[in-house]
Amino acid sequence: MANKDEWTVPQDDLAEAWQQVLPERLNDGDQAEVIANGTDPRSLQVTIKTAGHQKLEFDFAVQYVDSREIDIQLTDVEKDGQSVDERTDIMQDLIQDYRRHLHETAQALHHFTHS
């Protein structure tokens, strides 16, 4: 009998599901790329590129704590390929907005991760 906390979701399937659902949650024109983290079957690498001329790119590490809860770590913010200070109010607002979209995506995929 499997432990109810045992992770049974295939990582590639999870990444594909996120790739389908996350863009629906983002602002118009924003783009997302989701890839499996090769070192942890519960983790995904998510890159969100903002729409418009700012060319901002946000990298997040998303890890499932369990089938319902995710932990989100911001790993990098770049503008035109250069790292930028993410501590400004504008950047913090964008980061919080994207974190909310990531949580919404996890909730939308609850049926997929909770067996």
Side-chain angles (χ1 to χ4, degrees):
M1 187 165 161
N3 179 336
K4 75 176 189 173
D5 291 332
E6 186 176 319
W7 190 251
T8 59
V9 180
Q11 190 178 34
D12 289 338
D13 293 350
L14 182 64
E16 186 176 318
W18 269 75
Q19 186 64 60
Q20 295 296 316
V21 174
L22 179 57
E24 298 170 1
R25 303 287 185 277
L26 295 176
N27 302 321
D28 286 345
D30 286 354
Q31 297 177 342
E33 180 182 13
V34 181
I35 57 173
N37 176 332
T39 59
D40 181 355
R42 292 177 178 241
S43 295
L44 302 169
Q45 297 300 118
V46 178
T47 300
I48 299 173
K49 296 178 183 177
T50 60
H53 63 277
Q54 291 196 23
K55 294 195 182 349
L56 290 170
E57 194 170 295
F58 297 82
D59 293 328
F60 295 94
V62 177
Q63 181 181 38
Y64 276 84
V65 177
D66 58 30
S67 64
R68 295 175 184 253
E69 184 182 348
I70 59 171
D71 178 60
I72 302 168
Q73 298 297 321
L74 177 71
T75 57
D76 193 26
V77 179
E78 292 183 356
K79 180 176 182 171
D80 290 326
Q82 300 291 317
S83 288
V84 296
D85 183 359
E86 70 271 1
R87 295 172 293 185
T88 66
D89 288 344
I90 293 170
M91 288 298 202
Q92 286 299 309
D93 288 346
L94 284 168
I95 291 164
Q96 286 306 111
D97 192 43
Y98 288 133
R99 289 175 63 87
R100 182 174 48 82
H101 294 311
L102 294 170
H103 280 290
E104 289 170 357
T105 300
Q107 288 173 349
L109 292 172
H110 181 255
H111 69 282
F112 188 78
T113 59
H114 187 70
S115 53

